[in-house]
Amino acid sequence: MNFVLISPNYPDNYWLFCRGLKKYGATVLAIVDTAYENLNPNLIQNIDECYVVNNFNNYDEMIRAVGYFTFKYGKIDWIESNNEAWLSLDAKLRDDFNVKTGFDFKTITEYQSKAAMKKYYEDAGIPTARYSLVESEENALEFAHKIGYPLVLKPDHGVGASFTYTIKNDEDLKKYLHVAPKVQMILEEYIEGDVFTLDGICDAQGTIRYLNSLEYVGNCMDSVQYQQSIGAYTAFTISDEYRDIAQRTIHAFHLKNRFFHCEFFRLTKEKKGLGKKGTVIGLEVNFRPPGGFAPDLMNYAGSLDVYDIWAQVLITQQGDYMNIARESAGFAGRRNSISYKYRVKELEQMFKDQWLSTIYLPEAYAATMGDVTISARFKTPEERNAFFKAAFQETLGKDQNSDLKV
């Protein structure tokens, strides 16, 4: 089986997907944009061959790369990147090389639209926020006056909380429409709810073989927009309700042989037209692994290897990890701009039995995840609550992060 992986060199831990594929018998063919001598040795050891391109955005180069692999190894069975940035590229290459094990370009283009996703959530029986695609200031104001403020303005195709704005009145709407990027924007009614995710791996029938749930400490959108502290942790258990919601969503979106990352709200108060407190609202589906530290948190919480599980399911259609024992693993992302009561080293000592790692992030990740992240694993909710309370407790005075970088 010939498996082409695009960009397994970034993020750096994506070499682990190659390791899993090799383990289960695939011929692993990598396309990278980094000089061979600069690649992670673990990646080199777990691929059969790699093709170096100057730029993934140069489609002629990508065609030549897959063409070379086809000439040398025969028909390509899989083309994947597991990376949001290259999902459309994966799909275009599948179309051109008649690879049927993933989405075609037409489908992935539709699925990456937040507006288009709503009909699939409807098929799954899951409500979504009312919305309007912004065509002009006039139609945006018309929707706002019909639904009422607050609203959320964001790109219809986009990742994370970038260029996402909370709109409280007409003045806000006019202001942010003029500073928003020149792409299709969508307006949605504001949802008062807790965000959680249902992330996992499904097989060729769309049956979920592994499922995890991630909950947040703080608001993702506000964390990015206002540079607040941010944290997340895996759930100790996944309810039957969540399992059912996840499976209905996967079937509605016709997902097969994929890692997936689904985001939801749970209403914290009744919302007219949507439901009572506790109702689950669909937010969006991402057709890749969750980003950041999430795969590693899954591994720590379940004492397993999701990179290996992904390869096992895709290559062998075996493995069932739906009823595993779990702890909870999470991270606290702290900002250099915020003064905290406890220094990083103090937190490591206070929670030495739970502590897993401390990572100082480069600027590209810091905007979303924090300047320094502290990861830990918990046996009880009480341990977890105490960790986040201490990690995010603020005080007046000198910053407690940047002067302790090692």
Side-chain angles (χ1 to χ4, degrees):
M1 180 175 291
N2 296 322
F3 202 117
V4 173
L5 267 173
I6 296 172
S7 189
N9 56 309
Y10 183 84
D12 187 62
N13 59 342
Y14 272 26
W15 72 267
L16 291 162
F17 287 119
C18 299
R19 185 193 64 182
L21 293 171
K22 287 290 290 181
K23 175 181 175 180
Y24 293 103
T27 298
V28 184
L29 308 169
I31 304 178
V32 302
D33 61 350
T34 298
Y36 184 84
E37 59 269 20
N38 294 329
L39 294 175
N40 184 328
N42 290 309
L43 173 60
I44 293 173
Q45 292 171 12
N46 286 280
I47 59 177
D48 291 277
E49 190 170 356
C50 79
Y51 189 108
V52 180
V53 298
N54 292 314
N55 191 329
F56 293 131
N57 290 312
N58 185 328
Y59 194 64
D60 287 340
E61 279 194 291
M62 300 302 294
I63 285 284
R64 286 195 294 271
V66 180
Y68 167 76
F69 286 145
T70 301
F71 175 78
K72 185 170 181 179
Y73 295 95
K75 177 75 168 65
I76 302 301
D77 301 293
W78 294 83
I79 300 176
E80 295 286 351
S81 67
N82 283 332
N83 192 317
E84 185 75 30
W86 311 120
L87 293 183
S88 295
L89 173 62
D90 300 346
K92 288 179 69 176
L93 289 168
R94 289 191 204 105
D95 285 354
D96 285 338
F97 287 89
N98 195 32
V99 175
K100 302 298 184 182
T101 49
F103 295 124
D104 59 24
F105 183 72
K106 179 181 178 182
T107 301
I108 199 62
T109 300
E110 179 181 21
Y111 277 179
Q112 289 182 305
S113 162
K114 294 178 176 63
M117 286 183 192
K118 292 179 183 290
K119 67 180 180 182
Y120 295 98
Y121 273 123
E122 182 179 356
D123 290 342
I126 300 169
T128 59
R130 290 171 290 181
Y131 76 100
S132 176
L133 291 172
V134 177
E135 305 298 341
S136 64
E137 182 178 289
E138 290 72 23
N139 95 295
L141 287 167
E142 181 181 354
F143 175 77
H145 296 160
K146 175 182 178 182
I147 300 300
Y149 295 105
L151 299 168
V152 175
L153 176 70
K154 56 188 176 182
D156 185 46
H157 286 69
V159 183
S162 300
F163 305 110
T164 299
Y165 312 98
T166 301
I167 308 297
K168 298 179 180 178
N169 49 48
D170 285 2
E171 289 70 29
D172 277 353
L173 183 54
K174 294 175 183 179
K175 171 186 173 182
Y176 288 114
L177 283 175
H178 285 90
V179 302
K182 302 304 180 184
V183 297
Q184 178 65 66
M185 301 295 285
I186 183 174
L187 264 179
E188 291 185 330
E189 62 182 321
Y190 185 89
I191 303 296
E192 293 189 52
D194 295 323
V195 177
F196 69 94
T197 74
L198 293 172
D199 312 314
I201 299 162
C202 62
D203 64 18
Q205 305 305 315
T207 300
I208 298 174
R209 297 298 190 99
Y210 167 74
L211 186 63
N212 177 74
S213 182
L214 195 70
E215 300 183 23
Y216 292 94
V217 181
N219 181 296
C220 296
M221 184 171 68
D222 288 346
S223 173
V224 175
Q225 189 169 356
Y226 304 114
Q227 291 297 280
Q228 299 174 354
S229 303
I230 183 66
Y233 56 84
T234 64
F236 282 103
T237 60
I238 301 177
S239 67
D240 289 341
E241 177 196 20
Y242 279 12
R243 291 169 186 261
D244 176 62
I245 287 170
Q247 190 62 79
R248 282 190 281 133
T249 300
I250 297 315
H251 282 324
F253 279 85
H254 309 293
L255 267 65
K256 298 177 181 180
N257 286 325
R258 293 208 71 80
F259 221 130
F260 58 85
H261 170 53
C262 305
E263 300 176 351
F264 300 88
F265 286 109
R266 181 176 284 280
L267 294 183
T268 52
K269 59 185 295 187
E270 184 173 353
K271 178 77 171 179
K272 185 178 180 181
L274 282 180
K276 299 179 179 179
K277 179 180 178 180
T279 298
V280 172
I281 308 297
L283 180 54
E284 62 181 89
V285 175
N286 297 284
F287 311 96
R288 53 163 174 83
F293 304 114
D296 298 319
L297 296 181
M298 294 178 185
N299 288 343
Y300 286 126
S303 296
L304 43 72
D305 183 341
V306 295
Y307 305 98
D308 186 275
I309 293 171
W310 171 82
Q312 180 187 17
V313 171
L314 267 61
I315 302 302
T316 73
Q317 296 297 300
Q318 301 298 313
D320 184 348
Y321 301 87
M322 292 295 286
N323 296 296
I324 59 172
R326 300 173 190 267
E327 294 181 322
S328 177
F331 80 92
R334 308 205 326 172
R335 308 280 184 187
N336 286 342
S337 58
I338 298 175
S339 294
Y340 296 98
K341 180 176 180 179
Y342 299 105
R343 294 177 180 271
V344 171
K345 294 299 183 184
E346 291 177 306
L347 286 169
E348 291 174 356
Q349 185 60 33
M350 291 165 64
F351 296 94
K352 61 183 179 181
D353 293 334
Q354 293 81 30
W355 178 82
L356 293 169
S357 66
T358 299
I359 302 175
Y360 292 84
L361 293 175
E363 185 177 349
Y365 288 118
T368 303
M369 307 287 290
D371 297 286
V372 56
T373 64
I374 307 164
S375 297
R377 179 167 50 196
F378 317 100
K379 295 185 181 298
T380 67
E382 290 75 20
E383 285 183 353
R384 187 175 64 197
N385 294 342
F387 169 78
F388 282 107
K389 181 178 179 180
F392 292 151
Q393 190 169 350
E394 298 180 18
T395 186
L396 297 176
K398 186 181 178 183
D399 166 64
Q400 302 292 293
N401 295 327
S402 58
D403 60 336
L404 288 169
K405 183 173 180 179
V406 294

